[in-house]
Amino acid sequence: MFVKKLLISTLFAAAILPSLASAAYPDRAISIVVPYAPGGTADALARVIALNLGKKLNQSIVVENKSGASGMIGEAYVARAKGDGYTLLYDATPLSINPFLHKLRFNPKTDLAPLTLVSVTPNILVVPKSSKLNNLADVVKAAKAEPGRLTFTSGGTGTVQYMAGELFNQGFGLKMLHVPFKSGGPAIMATVAGQVNMMFTNIASTLALVKNGQLKALAITSPKRNPLLPDVPTIAESGIDGYKVYEWNGMFAPKGTPKEIVDLLQKSIKDVLKQPDVKAKFDSLGADIVASTPEGFKQYLSSESEKWGKVVKNAGIVKQ
């Protein structure tokens, strides 16, 4: 009888331990890993969230940049971390692309727990100010006249900038040549200098260059026009029905993170994203706030993976 009571007590204690641990969360500093270099859009938005989320949770939140290998170094670090809510990942679109290009050291579908799709940001197709290409029709006409002559650049093979160009190629039946750089900054400067013909780039990264006339924006990759560039037509308007490319930002926790902590983080991040000053920052970078549920984010990731998997396959890119 004593053994039976002891067993029941032990099982009861084990059942309530996760709830007690979650109730005390967070009782120490939280780390948000950004798997990209400082200064980019993902890094900037992660720091806005970290500052305001720290205030809401009454706890210090530190942003750590663990960049390299198209985000895979930082992603693997979080995937191996303890699922206790103290190590989080603020990631972006390459996570949906890398599994089709590289042999990963982790499984994004099972080793990372989606918290929320934070925001989506469209790309814009830009050309040098001296370019004779003034609209999408010019691009398509020139590309079809001399296959392989027109070039588009990106910050690397695993980037959404490259995938946007390949999707464009496939949508119009073109053969524009991809010229990759090691990061987005040099690729943008090469476009400004006229060393390449064009680039699909994050709206936040090149908005100032478009505004001051160093680059011309020919089209935007969202289904609707953006308030920051209201005169720039969508690619869907210009010929590819249903063409849509976003650079998404989202937050993850390691696998095994208790549901109570996942729910608390998702709700807290959603509340932060409702703050007027936070929304204003996102708006200034052309980012549309989503603040999805974990399940909604999981579904979005599935659709993104399906889309980019097809693009990689159709482009004949071999996994490295």
Side-chain angles (χ1 to χ4, degrees), residues 121-199:
T121 307
N123 279 5
I124 50 177
L125 173 58
V126 295
V127 298
K129 64 179 181 180
S130 60
S131 175
K132 295 180 180 180
L133 304 173
N134 295 309
N135 52 54
L136 219 55
D138 288 346
V139 174
V140 174
K141 182 179 179 180
K144 286 189 173 181
E146 297 183 70
R149 185 182 68 83
L150 286 188
T151 57
F152 71 98
T153 188
S154 77
T157 304
T159 62
V160 68
Q161 304 143 4
Y162 173 45
M163 290 293 107
E166 281 297 341
L167 186 60
F168 184 82
N169 263 342
Q170 293 169 22
F172 278 111
L174 307 178
K175 292 184 179 180
M176 296 193 300
L177 179 65
H178 177 227
V179 180
F181 283 80
K182 290 184 177 180
S183 63
I188 292 170
M189 290 300 98
T191 309
V192 171
Q195 296 171 359
V196 291
N197 295 118
M198 68 195 76
M199 181 179 183

Side-chain angles (χ1 to χ4, degrees), residues 281-299:
K281 179 62 176 178
F282 275 71
D283 288 345
S284 72
L285 295 174
D288 295 327
I289 290 174
V290 180
S292 74
T293 63
E295 183 57 34
F297 189 18
K298 184 177 180 179
Q299 292 173 1

Side-chain angles (χ1 to χ4, degrees), residues 43-84:
D43 177 67
L45 295 179
R47 292 179 187 277
V48 172
I49 291 176
L51 176 64
N52 290 276
L53 184 61
K55 293 176 182 177
K56 184 168 184 62
L57 296 177
N58 196 30
Q59 190 55 258
S60 297
I61 298 183
V62 180
V63 173
E64 295 184 66
N65 296 92
K66 294 185 180 295
S67 60
S70 196
M72 290 181 284
I73 292 175
E75 292 161 355
Y77 176 85
V78 176
R80 293 192 297 265
K82 186 177 180 181
D84 55 9

Side-chain angles (χ1 to χ4, degrees), residues 12-288:
F12 178 74
I16 65 171
L17 272 177
S19 297
L20 291 175
S22 300
Y25 175 86
D27 61 4
R28 63 180 189 274
I30 298 170
S31 172
I32 296 179
V33 173
V34 176
Y36 311 105
T41 304
D43 177 67
L45 295 179
R47 292 179 187 277
V48 172
I49 291 176
L51 176 64
N52 290 276
L53 184 61
K55 293 176 182 177
K56 184 168 184 62
L57 296 177
N58 196 30
Q59 190 55 258
S60 297
I61 298 183
V62 180
V63 173
E64 295 184 66
N65 296 92
K66 294 185 180 295
S67 60
S70 196
M72 290 181 284
I73 292 175
E75 292 161 355
Y77 176 85
V78 176
R80 293 192 297 265
K82 186 177 180 181
D84 55 9
Y86 291 98
T87 303
L88 307 176
L89 176 69
Y90 190 90
D91 211 343
T93 313
L95 183 65
S96 301
I97 302 170
N98 285 334
F100 305 103
L101 301 175
H102 307 283
K103 296 177 181 178
L104 305 184
R105 300 178 183 176
F106 65 99
N107 187 331
K109 293 182 179 180
T110 58
D111 294 339
L112 295 172
L115 297 179
T116 182
L117 173 61
V118 172
S119 65
V120 292
T121 307
N123 279 5
I124 50 177
L125 173 58
V126 295
V127 298
K129 64 179 181 180
S130 60
S131 175
K132 295 180 180 180
L133 304 173
N134 295 309
N135 52 54
L136 219 55
D138 288 346
V139 174
V140 174
K141 182 179 179 180
K144 286 189 173 181
E146 297 183 70
R149 185 182 68 83
L150 286 188
T151 57
F152 71 98
T153 188
S154 77
T157 304
T159 62
V160 68
Q161 304 143 4
Y162 173 45
M163 290 293 107
E166 281 297 341
L167 186 60
F168 184 82
N169 263 342
Q170 293 169 22
F172 278 111
L174 307 178
K175 292 184 179 180
M176 296 193 300
L177 179 65
H178 177 227
V179 180
F181 283 80
K182 290 184 177 180
S183 63
I188 292 170
M189 290 300 98
T191 309
V192 171
Q195 296 171 359
V196 291
N197 295 118
M198 68 195 76
M199 181 179 183
F200 290 83
T201 177
N202 186 302
I203 189 172
S205 302
T206 48
L207 182 62
L209 295 170
V210 171
K211 293 289 189 181
N212 68 22
Q214 290 182 270
L215 289 172
K216 292 190 296 185
L218 304 188
I220 192 164
T221 65
S222 52
K224 60 182 181 180
R225 298 192 184 198
N226 191 282
L228 296 178
L229 295 168
D231 296 328
V232 177
T234 69
I235 288 180
E237 284 179 67
S238 304
I240 305 181
D241 186 39
Y243 183 100
K244 179 176 68 174
V245 174
Y246 283 114
E247 292 194 25
W248 58 259
N249 278 197
M251 194 88 82
F252 299 82
K255 65 180 178 182
T257 302
K259 186 178 185 302
E260 294 88 347
I261 292 179
V262 167
D263 291 343
L264 172 64
L265 287 169
Q266 188 275 334
K267 183 181 183 304
S268 299
I269 295 168
K270 185 174 182 178
D271 289 344
V272 162
L273 292 170
K274 290 180 180 178
Q275 296 174 195
D277 57 331
V278 173
K279 185 178 184 306
K281 179 62 176 178
F282 275 71
D283 288 345
S284 72
L285 295 174
D288 295 327

